[in-house]
Amino acid sequence: MTIQQLRLPLSIKPSVSQRPDLPYRTRFKSALAGDLNFHGKNSAYASHNFHSFPAKFPPQLPRKFIEWLTNPEDLVLDPMMGSGTTVLEAFLLGRRGLGFDIDPLALRLCKAKVTPASLQKVTDAGYQTLEQANIALQHDATSLATLLDNRFDGATREFVDYWFLPETQLELMALICEIEKVQDVIIREFLELAFSAIIITKSGGVSMARDLAHTRPHRVSNKTPRSAIAQYRYRLKKNIQSLVELIAGKGNVILLEGNAQSLTLKDNSVDLIITSPPYAANAIDYMRAHKFSLVWFGYPIKELSQLRRQYIGGESLVDVQLLEMPDYPAQALAKIAKRDKKKARVLHRYYSEMTRCLSEMYRVLKPGRAAIVVVGTSTMRGLNTETHICLGEIGKNSGFDLVDIAVRKLDRDKRMMPARKNAQPNSQIEERMHEEYVIGLYKTTDRLLKGDQLCLKKSDGEFCLRPESMMRCLTQSARPG
Ligand SMILES: C[S@@+](CC[C@H](N)C(=O)[O-])C[C@H]1O[C@@H](n2cnc3c(N)ncnc32)[C@H](O)[C@@H]1O
């Protein structure tokens, strides 16, 4: 493919009614009240589709709030950035994007998605890697097999052998060896992303897994995986085409490995937050899917399993600190505990972690600014967890004003959601699984959070401490039971 064959950049038009005449909070409310479904809209522009990612939100969602609520160069934060939809939109709209995640694949793919690599260089290097990998497969398969033998430790080797056929392993080895030879870091990372994208797909890509997107992989013995070489060629072409649109971006982005529960940011420093946390109880288990490609980048499987424990919404109850909850989530937890104590504790862990995240969001956000948290709800032992209402309450307890909770209908064909066993078609709960909630939080100018205490502004302009501590710890080290 030559550069001349590529499509020209799309002009990304701003949405119409942003109402700059309205006061900020009214504008925020009005943005929440408008259409947030975005059905039928193209979500694949720029680099948004470089790589699949479960439960990413449509780019139109962060775009709308960025356009309505920020000015060029404002700082837009996503503390759990996932595939980087928010930070990429900030970049395309000429804002400063700031993203955190603990997932190594999320960090890698965000970086490639916001870096407009040279078209000529990626095209040349990309097709060179393909050509050389083919040559190695045809003429030097024995050396490739030796390299493959030495690449993984014992446990990682077992994992790779279970999930990838020997012929696929050889093809992947040939490709990764050629990609690793590329000196230019930006180009190499672009190619690594194309490599990863052929492994992590809805259908399990070139592995023997099915349904990787739902991060509940099952090995399918009768699957005939597609050729890794052919898939890489296809993906490379697609990503190079998308790169053309990325080049139109005018902003800049900082991506950091970091935990959303303790952000390395100054108080009152961010202009807008748009984020979507993981589901409770590991409904989407990111690491379980991402390790399929991370092992090829040199991550030992044991290290990845350790990291998995740090993900918000995990199921382990070892060494977790459960926090006291406000009324609504406390009652919801009590109802679930009547049916299943363990499940209630897992959900309690999630709400405790989200309490820390929301407190951090409150701390780093400038007064008079908005935070948007997009969540789905789930069912536990037949009860709807009403996650959106619980998180809204926790947000209020962290100091925010709850402006509204908007509902958006998921495009069933697009968004990859947790699969549910034994779902009753058309039941009310099942309907809710196809909805998502956009929680609109606002940090007023008359409150400040100092340490772990909420301060209210008095009429004379002084701040006083609210008496009760906000994050009282219920247990030091809760254990399953
Ligand atoms: C629902 S996804 C975000 C999807 C994102 N909105 C998008 O459009 O791609 C949630 C993300 O939270 C990240 N995450 C989980 N625990 C975290 C933590 N403790 N700190 C930061 N990020 C975390 C996961 O790795 C995952 O990438």
Side-chain angles (χ1 to χ4, degrees):
M1 183 172 56
T2 64
I3 293 198
Q4 284 71 29
Q5 288 171 291
L6 296 168
R7 281 178 288 142
L8 289 172
L10 271 188
S11 62
I12 301 163
K13 295 191 192 105
S15 60
V16 248
S17 54
Q18 296 160 23
R19 303 297 311 268
D21 52 311
L22 295 175
Y24 184 94
R25 200 183 154 122
T26 319
R27 223 178 320 143
F28 182 26
K29 211 170 161 52
S30 151
L32 283 166
D35 173 30
L36 296 173
N37 294 334
F38 310 112
H39 291 176
K41 296 276 192 296
N42 169 27
S43 318
Y45 58 86
S47 50
H48 281 297
N49 266 17
F50 265 19
H51 195 289
S52 70
F53 201 88
K56 64 179 179 184
F57 44 44
Q60 288 81 9
L61 194 146
R63 169 165 290 253
K64 178 170 186 177
F65 291 102
I66 294 171
E67 284 181 328
W68 285 51
L69 301 175
T70 63
N71 294 311
E73 306 215 357
D74 274 0
L75 188 58
V76 180
L77 166 70
D78 187 341
M80 292 164 267
M81 68 182 161
S83 70
T85 313
T86 296
V87 287
L88 175 55
E89 281 301 317
F91 173 78
L92 293 171
L93 292 166
R95 271 62 167 177
R96 289 178 300 142
L98 176 56
F100 288 84
D101 210 293
I102 53 168
D103 185 285
L105 190 66
L107 287 155
R108 278 169 174 261
L109 73 93
C110 285
K111 188 166 174 215
K113 280 171 76 172
V114 298
T115 308
S118 149
L119 265 179
Q120 186 68 62
K121 285 187 185 169
V122 281
T123 310
D124 290 351
Y127 288 96
Q128 167 96 356
T129 54
L130 253 176
E131 200 179 311
Q132 293 303 320
N134 264 325
I135 293 175
L137 281 164
Q138 279 163 27
H139 302 291
D140 210 1
T142 320
S143 310
L144 274 181
T146 312
L147 287 171
L148 193 58
D149 278 346
N150 297 330
R151 192 164 178 94
F152 307 109
D153 61 49
T156 313
R157 163 97 266 156
E158 246 176 64
F159 174 84
V160 170
D161 283 344
Y162 183 76
W163 289 107
F164 297 92
L165 290 179
E167 54 270 34
T168 312
Q169 291 185 31
L170 268 190
E171 284 190 300
L172 290 171
M173 192 66 215
L175 285 169
I176 198 72
C177 281
E178 292 308 320
I179 293 172
E180 283 170 356
K181 285 181 196 159
V182 176
Q183 295 288 314
D184 184 324
V185 181
I186 291 178
I187 307 300
R188 189 171 65 240
E189 288 173 348
F190 180 93
L191 301 178
E192 281 174 353
L193 192 63
F195 174 90
S196 174
I198 66 171
I199 298 174
I200 301 192
T201 74
K202 210 170 178 178
S203 60
V206 298
S207 75
M208 294 300 283
R210 175 166 52 94
D211 212 7
L212 255 191
H214 289 123
T215 61
R216 300 276 177 214
H218 306 289
R219 193 177 189 280
V220 198
S221 47
N222 59 359
K223 179 176 167 185
T224 316
R226 295 185 180 136
S227 147
I229 295 281
Q231 290 301 297
Y232 178 72
R233 181 189 302 280
Y234 169 79
R235 177 47 78 165
L236 195 60
K237 185 173 172 201
K238 213 170 146 187
N239 284 6
I240 291 173
Q241 282 175 340
S242 306
L243 192 56
V244 183
E245 293 164 16
L246 180 65
I247 289 164
K250 297 270 180 291
N252 58 61
V253 170
I254 296 176
L255 307 172
L256 296 167
E257 183 186 351
N259 194 323
Q261 297 177 68
S262 60
L263 296 170
T264 48
L265 291 178
K266 284 188 186 155
D267 298 359
N268 309 318
S269 55
V270 167
D271 294 288
L272 177 67
I273 299 174
I274 311 172
T275 196
S276 61
Y279 277 72
N282 259 357
I284 290 186
D285 186 338
Y286 289 93
M287 183 48 82
R288 205 142 123 185
H290 290 176
K291 61 189 179 188
F292 278 72
S293 83
L294 287 170
V295 290
W296 290 97
F297 298 134
Y299 290 84
I301 203 83
K302 283 192 180 142
E303 196 181 293
L304 296 175
S305 303
Q306 289 290 330
L307 185 61
R308 184 167 170 256
R309 290 160 194 244
Q310 292 175 31
Y311 286 59
I312 288 165
E315 285 164 306
S316 164
L317 288 164
V318 178
D319 292 334
V320 294
Q321 290 199 330
L322 302 178
L323 303 179
E324 188 177 315
M325 288 293 130
D327 288 349
Y328 197 92
Q331 285 159 16
L333 287 172
K335 273 191 213 157
I336 292 170
K338 277 193 188 151
R339 298 193 181 184
D340 187 332
K341 278 203 176 77
K342 170 96 191 291
K343 288 258 177 220
R345 285 197 143 208
V346 171
L347 187 60
H348 197 165
R349 166 183 167 173
Y350 176 69
Y351 288 147
S352 300
E353 289 168 332
M354 285 307 298
T355 302
R356 294 188 197 97
C357 291
L358 285 158
S359 295
E360 277 297 80
M361 288 189 218
Y362 186 83
R363 179 182 69 76
V364 302
L365 191 66
K366 288 181 184 166
R369 297 302 181 124
I372 293 112
V373 180
V374 182
V375 288
T377 191
S378 2
T379 47
M380 271 188 182
R381 295 282 173 255
L383 290 172
N384 186 340
T385 55
E386 312 249 55
T387 309
H388 51 300
I389 305 180
C390 294
L391 291 186
E393 285 300 305
I394 294 170
K396 281 204 285 188
N397 218 41
S398 304
F400 284 110
D401 275 6
L402 177 60
V403 173
D404 206 350
I405 302 182
V407 184
R408 58 180 299 269
K409 293 263 178 223
L410 295 173
D411 194 339
R412 291 180 191 221
D413 298 332
K414 279 200 179 153
R415 181 133 176 187
M416 300 182 281
M417 307 310 292
R420 289 195 344 103
K421 284 186 215 145
N422 313 325
Q424 296 286 319
N426 304 325
S427 72
Q428 205 183 16
I429 289 179
E430 188 54 18
E431 252 331 283
R432 292 214 178 135
M433 294 303 121
H434 295 287
E435 288 173 353
E436 186 168 68
Y437 302 89
V438 184
I439 308 173
L441 301 165
Y442 178 74
K443 178 169 174 177
T444 58
T445 45
D446 59 357
R447 279 178 217 179
L448 276 181
L449 190 68
K450 278 192 184 164
D452 67 349
Q453 297 212 295
L454 184 64
C455 314
L456 302 178
K457 195 174 186 184
K458 296 194 291 185
S459 51
D460 58 5
E462 287 287 300
F463 285 91
C464 65
L465 287 184
R466 204 171 75 166
E468 71 272 30
S469 170
M470 290 199 33
M471 290 194 3
R472 242 171 48 219
C473 199
L474 276 183
T475 51
Q476 283 308 312
S477 171
R479 300 208 173 259

